[in-house]
Amino acid sequence: MFDLLNTIAVVEDRPVSSVLADLANTNADTLTFRLLPEGPPGTIPLLHGADAVHGVRELLLTATYASTLPRPLLVQGRRPTNVWSFARQVRLGAPQTGSWIVAAHLTIPEAELDPRAAGDGPFARQVSLYAHRGVRAALTAAGEALGGDPVEPFLRRVDDGVSANLCEALARLGRDDTPFEVSFSWAQRLPAQAGAGRFRFDRNTIRVIRNAGEAMRASTLDGRVQVIGAVSQLSQGNTGVGTAVIDGIVHSRHGEAEQKVTVRLRDTAHQTAIEAYRTRQFVRLTAEARRGHIETVLDVAIVPPT
């Protein structure tokens, strides 16, 4: 048995104690993040380590929030209370030697460990599977983006879990383009069939993912969009054209994003925005976006807050 454990530890470049911990952890899914910085084994520069832990947090918050939604968001905004409540239950293991390794444990409650139970399974497992699907899709998209369009492969995989938030979390893990690996192991009392369990991100891949995340967050995607949300700011210019900031959901052919958008409104449209602001109702705005900005507003209407 020792020879077996030692062989696994050598192959995976981590201590035997870490392998034993995985074997003993029968009721939790584990996400392991192995950073590969230059320098003495088992150490990492301070800022890299801080960003790595922040990246782990953001990846799990992103997967948790997405698991509560009927449809994935291209850009996630403020997370609701139930998302933070679940995140507080996730435990981080102590950093391990073997490059620099930290693990996140998502414990599945005893009452939810029955594999015969109906439904989508324990919520912790849904979060783990969503993170697995998103990490795999982001890595695949990055491979395609290296030889073509830098953003479109990511947009095609929004339904697979890719979002600006996921890309930003992975980019934080790879601060300064430091290579890293993400691996998944499932609670042994509740096996999962999820395909490959380990994903490696090299320097070029991290750079592509970082740029894609910035592009998805920074601009409104070109084409016909619909914005539904609250008017948070208003201003009136000298030429009869007003400006409104709408904080809500931007619907496009690529998916939905929680964003603040600034639009220029004339006459009746601006009065509609003023009325929505005064009565604390939402507006529904249909427009054409080009070069990352809303250029032509086609229709503005007041709708009840939802």
Side-chain angles (χ1 to χ4, degrees):
M1 181 60 73
F2 176 79
D3 288 343
L4 173 62
L5 295 174
N6 192 57
T7 300
I8 294 173
V10 169
V11 169
E12 298 189 351
D13 189 19
R14 56 180 178 142
V16 173
S17 59
S18 172
V19 179
L20 283 170
D22 280 353
L23 292 173
N25 195 17
T26 62
N27 66 333
D29 292 339
T30 301
L31 282 66
T32 303
F33 303 86
R34 178 189 179 207
L35 277 72
L36 304 167
E38 296 178 354
T43 68
I44 192 171
L46 172 64
L47 299 182
H48 287 64
D51 265 9
V53 173
H54 188 88
V56 172
R57 187 191 81 157
E58 286 304 304
L59 191 150
L60 288 171
L61 283 171
T62 297
T64 302
Y65 188 17
S67 298
T68 68
L69 299 171
R71 183 184 177 189
L73 288 172
L74 182 64
V75 180
Q76 295 180 1
R78 182 179 301 173
R79 279 72 178 245
T81 303
N82 61 331
V83 172
W84 288 101
S85 296
F86 176 81
R88 290 187 180 96
Q89 302 172 29
V90 177
R91 310 296 297 182
L92 283 184
Q96 305 163 10
T97 57
S99 301
W100 196 83
I101 303 171
V102 62
H105 304 288
L106 284 68
T107 302
I108 300 174
E110 186 71 27
E112 301 178 17
L113 282 168
D114 186 355
R116 299 167 297 179
D120 296 328
F123 184 70
R125 171 56 56 80
Q126 294 178 43
V127 173
S128 301
L129 288 173
Y130 196 98
H132 178 273
R133 189 165 63 249
V135 168
R136 179 176 59 190
L139 184 58
T140 303
E144 294 181 9
L146 284 169
D149 190 295
V151 180
E152 194 275 337
F154 294 88
L155 297 176
R156 283 193 283 108
R157 291 176 171 83
V158 173
D159 287 339
D160 293 327
V162 173
S163 66
N165 305 76
L166 179 81
C167 291
E168 290 164 352
L170 293 172
R172 275 189 174 273
L173 278 161
R175 179 190 171 101
D176 296 337
D177 302 333
T178 301
F180 65 91
E181 291 180 352
V182 184
S183 59
F184 296 78
S185 57
W186 314 105
Q188 296 186 51
R189 293 173 61 187
L190 192 65
Q193 301 296 325
R198 178 178 295 186
F199 307 95
R200 185 182 178 104
F201 296 79
D202 61 24
R203 296 181 183 277
N204 291 333
T205 299
I206 295 166
R207 194 173 300 118
V208 168
I209 289 174
R210 178 181 294 107
N211 293 337
E214 292 172 353
M216 287 189 284
R217 179 178 290 278
S219 62
T220 302
L221 299 174
D222 290 357
R224 179 69 59 91
V225 298
Q226 186 180 80
V227 185
I228 300 177
V231 179
S232 59
Q233 295 181 40
L234 285 166
S235 62
Q236 179 69 57
N238 296 326
T239 60
V241 178
T243 301
V245 177
I246 302 173
D247 188 354
I249 304 291
V250 179
H251 304 257
S252 72
R253 61 189 175 89
H254 299 291
E256 301 173 356
E258 292 182 348
Q259 290 178 314
K260 285 186 177 182
V261 297
T262 301
V263 295
R264 292 166 59 84
L265 302 172
R266 294 181 177 275
D267 305 329
T268 305
H270 192 247
Q271 291 302 316
T272 300
I274 293 173
E275 178 65 14
Y277 182 83
R278 186 183 66 82
T279 58
R280 298 185 177 181
Q281 298 189 83
F282 282 10
V283 294
R284 181 181 63 231
L285 181 146
T286 304
E288 291 286 340
R290 289 188 60 198
R291 298 178 182 176
H293 301 283
I294 292 179
E295 290 194 349
T296 306
V297 175
L298 305 176
D299 180 66
V300 181
I302 293 177
V303 295
T306 57

